[in-house]
């Protein structure tokens, strides 16, 4: 069975600080896909990244970066120089299918980390 | 930019009533999904739909739920006899399926269902 754990329920930092959101996953599959989604206060889910299990290269996109470590089953997300607009709930998710809708059980989401960026 | 649209944005209903939530996926997408999020909790997969039939469904998606693509553009979720615990935000999503999967699942803005 798949499982995604986001141990940090809520993180609060002051603007311009760097912040890392942790994600630990469990799966029996050798091929799987990891995702991060952002859910701003307006409620929609915004796709941030997909990473497959064969690609352990870290990814950077502007102020966002992701650190995938297969050895520790972690896929952490760092925001550099945080801004108030980054305040949202961030979900890590896991899929066994290359199609982002997921395999037998769809996407398995973590419980989310509520990130608060204070001005 | 193409987007997934959902209606209504918020529906309040009495327990036992039937509810239909509507979604218009992105036009060239072939895979459609419903997810739900009970307030303050994680997003949970309900069902996926491809080629006019359900391809996967979760344990949550029991006999009171059904999905339909009635006219080639809308994708609906019907809850036959609502219960209090059905109160949640329901997200529709779609994805492109082909040789070049973008890996991105496009979500709608959600339909909030409140069962009284």
């Amino acid at each position: 069975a798949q499982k995604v754990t986001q141990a940090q329920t809520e993180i609060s930092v002051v603007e311009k600080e760097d912040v890392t959101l942790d994600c630990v996953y469990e799966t029996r599959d050798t091929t799987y896909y990891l995702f991060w989604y952002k859910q701003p206060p307006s409620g929609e889910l915004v796709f941030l990244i997909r990473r497959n299990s064969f690609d352990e290269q870290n990814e950077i996109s502007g102020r966002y970066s992701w650190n995938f470590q297969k050895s520790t089953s972690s896929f952490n997300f760092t925001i550099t120089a945080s801004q108030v607009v980054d305040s949202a709930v961030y979900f890590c998710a896991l899929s066994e299918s290359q199609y982002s809708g997921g395999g037998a059980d769809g996407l398995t989401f973590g419980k989310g980390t509520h990130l608060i960026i204070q001005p | 930019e193409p987007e997934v649209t959902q209606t209504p944005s918020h529906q309040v209903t009495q327990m036992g009533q039937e509810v239909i939530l509507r979604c218009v996926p992105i036009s060239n997408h072939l895979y459609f999904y419903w997810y739900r999020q009970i307030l303050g909790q994680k997003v949970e997969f309900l069902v996926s739909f491809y080629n006019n039939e359900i391809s996967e469904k979760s344990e949550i998606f029991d006999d009171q739920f059904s999905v339909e693509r009635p006219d080639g553009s809308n994708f609906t979720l019907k809850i036959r006899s609502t219960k209090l615990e059905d109160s949640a935000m329901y997200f529709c999503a779609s994805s492109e399926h082909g040789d070049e999967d973008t890996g991105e699942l496009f979500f709608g803005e959600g339909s909030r269902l409140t069962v009284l």
Side-chain angles (χ1 to χ4, degrees):
Chain A
Q2 301 175 96
K3 187 177 175 184
V4 176
T5 301
Q6 294 179 255
Q8 305 148 309
T9 306
E10 185 174 289
I11 301 175
S12 181
V13 300
V14 176
E15 203 172 16
K16 296 183 185 172
E17 285 185 19
D18 298 347
V19 59
T20 295
L21 309 181
D22 297 333
C23 173
V24 174
Y25 61 91
E26 293 175 31
T27 178
R28 292 192 199 128
D29 289 288
T30 54
T31 302
Y32 52 88
Y33 298 80
L34 295 161
F35 304 79
W36 276 94
Y37 284 87
K38 174 181 179 180
Q39 186 177 43
S42 47
E44 72 271 25
L45 288 165
V46 179
F47 169 86
L48 296 177
I49 190 171
R50 179 185 85 147
R51 171 66 78 224
N52 75 54
S53 53
F54 299 112
D55 182 2
E56 286 192 72
Q57 268 192 324
N58 290 333
E59 173 130 356
I60 298 175
S61 176
R63 295 185 297 106
Y64 295 171
S65 62
W66 290 269
N67 183 5
F68 177 29
Q69 301 247 347
K70 231 169 157 179
S71 59
T72 55
S73 298
S74 65
F75 186 45
N76 296 337
F77 171 34
T78 297
I79 302 175
T80 304
S82 60
Q83 299 175 2
V84 172
V85 293
D86 295 327
S87 297
V89 179
Y90 290 86
F91 291 97
C92 180
L94 169 70
S95 167
E96 294 166 347
S97 168
Q98 67 175 310
Y99 304 112
S100 56
D105 297 311
L107 281 171
T108 299
F109 282 81
K111 291 186 177 180
T113 296
H114 184 197
L115 178 62
I116 300 167
I117 310 297
Q118 298 176 17
Chain B
E1 187 179 320
E3 59 181 17
V4 176
T5 57
Q6 290 185 240
T7 53
S9 56
H10 188 192
Q11 181 156 356
V12 180
T13 190
Q14 295 290 327
M15 193 168 56
Q17 295 295 306
E18 176 182 283
V19 159
I20 298 176
L21 305 179
R22 291 183 168 77
C23 170
V24 180
I26 294 173
S27 61
N28 63 330
H29 285 189
L30 299 177
Y31 270 78
F32 315 114
Y33 311 85
W34 283 101
Y35 284 78
R36 80 168 185 194
Q37 183 183 28
I38 295 171
L39 188 64
Q41 298 188 24
K42 65 180 178 180
V43 180
E44 301 171 294
F45 169 76
L46 292 178
V47 66
S48 61
F49 191 87
Y50 170 69
N51 200 26
N52 283 319
E53 59 183 24
I54 290 173
S55 49
E56 315 285 357
K57 60 182 181 179
S58 72
E59 290 177 355
I60 302 167
F61 194 86
D62 61 23
D63 290 344
Q64 68 159 342
F65 290 96
S66 62
V67 289
E68 200 177 33
R69 190 156 158 80
D71 56 13
S73 62
N74 289 286
F75 178 52
T76 61
L77 174 69
K78 183 192 287 186
I79 309 175
R80 237 178 297 282
S81 177
T82 50
K83 299 180 280 208
L84 294 176
E85 53 265 38
D86 294 327
S87 295
M89 180 77 91
Y90 288 81
F91 290 101
C92 175
S94 69
S95 67
E96 192 172 7
H97 176 191
D99 293 334
E100 295 179 25
D101 178 45
T102 64
E104 183 171 351
L105 192 63
F106 289 82
F107 283 88
E109 293 194 349
S111 292
R112 180 166 296 286
L113 175 65
T114 302
V115 182
L116 302 176

